[in-house]
Amino acid sequence: MIREIIFKDNIIQYNLQYKNVKNINMRIKPDGSINVSANRRVSQKVIDDFINSKADFILRALEKYKNRPIAEQKQYYTEDEVKELIILLCNKAYPYYETRGIRYPEIKFRKMVSRWGSCHSQNGILTFNMNLMYAPMECIEYVVWHEFTHFLQPNHSSKFYDELAKVYPNWNECRKKLKDINIR
């Protein structure tokens, strides 16, 4: 459902979807669209108030995207190739984590909208985004090391990044490259 609010003479239009979520979630896409998801029990007034509270941020983000040229995404791999590559990279990364007492995880693949991978450390599952086929090899490698590191540090604390830097020193450079890839 399309909703809009007026903030300082600006109309902010957003697409509202009701989902089984705990919080109000907002995503601003490079094409300028704004998607909001909220639980059905949250009133539209509360959601509009949330958008209004974020209006300055939204307008800055929209301005940033308006001035950024939209590059066509280069596809580096097919879906089969990226799956095969990720499995090879997992096999390459695993010996380090095996010495730290980590069991080899179950590897899954799916298309995701807002993340490149996820780690469910308690269940021993790593899930990778199929859209990694639009990422260069070093970025895919970074995502694999990143997700494996979550078995040692389940959050994004400074300890996590210290641990990641031991095995993938140029992680920050790769993370910046991934932010320029539009997977939405």
Side-chain angles (χ1 to χ4, degrees):
M1 142 189 352
I2 302 296
R3 305 262 314 147
E4 58 184 45
I5 66 162
I6 298 174
F7 179 80
K8 295 182 182 175
D9 297 327
N10 293 291
I11 296 173
I12 298 176
Q13 195 174 68
Y14 65 93
N15 180 33
L16 173 61
Q17 288 186 309
Y18 287 108
K19 296 181 177 182
N20 187 20
V21 293
K22 292 180 183 177
N23 302 309
I24 299 172
N25 301 303
M26 178 181 64
R27 300 250 186 265
I28 303 172
K29 296 183 179 183
D31 67 4
S33 62
I34 302 167
N35 292 319
V36 176
S37 59
N39 194 291
R40 290 193 185 284
R41 295 183 296 230
V42 179
S43 72
Q44 288 182 354
K45 180 182 180 342
V46 169
I47 297 167
D48 286 347
D49 288 347
F50 171 80
I51 297 299
N52 199 43
S53 74
K54 303 290 184 191
D56 282 325
F57 168 79
I58 292 168
L59 294 173
R60 282 193 312 272
L62 292 174
E63 189 64 29
K64 180 180 97 177
Y65 284 136
K66 187 168 64 173
N67 295 328
R68 180 193 277 184
I70 298 174
E72 189 173 316
Q73 295 300 329
K74 178 180 179 185
Q75 183 172 337
Y76 292 86
Y77 307 98
T78 66
E79 286 189 5
D80 288 340
E81 288 170 337
V82 81
K83 284 180 181 178
E84 189 176 311
L85 177 59
I86 289 169
I87 290 170
L88 286 171
L89 291 170
C90 287
N91 291 336
K92 176 183 172 185
Y94 178 65
Y96 174 80
Y97 296 92
E98 184 179 30
T99 63
R100 309 286 300 274
I102 305 300
R103 286 193 168 152
Y104 192 83
E106 179 182 351
I107 308 296
K108 294 184 176 184
F109 301 95
R110 63 174 241 206
K111 289 212 174 186
M112 294 185 263
V113 175
S114 60
R115 50 175 77 177
W116 293 107
S118 66
C119 173
H120 298 280
S121 56
Q122 292 176 338
N123 299 331
I125 299 171
L126 294 180
T127 305
F128 294 96
N129 190 336
M130 289 303 302
N131 286 316
L132 282 166
M133 64 187 175
Y134 296 103
M137 163 73 158
E138 68 271 13
C139 292
I140 298 170
E141 190 171 27
Y142 153 69
V143 172
V144 168
W145 286 99
H146 179 110
E147 296 309 330
F148 262 99
T149 301
H150 278 305
F151 286 119
L152 303 175
Q153 292 291 326
N155 52 32
H156 288 116
S157 65
S158 60
K159 288 180 182 179
F160 171 85
Y161 288 106
D162 290 345
E163 191 67 46
L164 180 60
K166 291 177 188 175
V167 292
Y168 210 78
N170 67 331
W171 65 267
N172 204 14
E173 178 184 313
C174 292
R175 184 170 76 169
K176 287 177 187 173
K177 286 182 186 178
L178 285 171
K179 287 184 184 225
D180 288 333
I181 299 172
N182 181 15
I183 61 171
R184 295 149 185 89

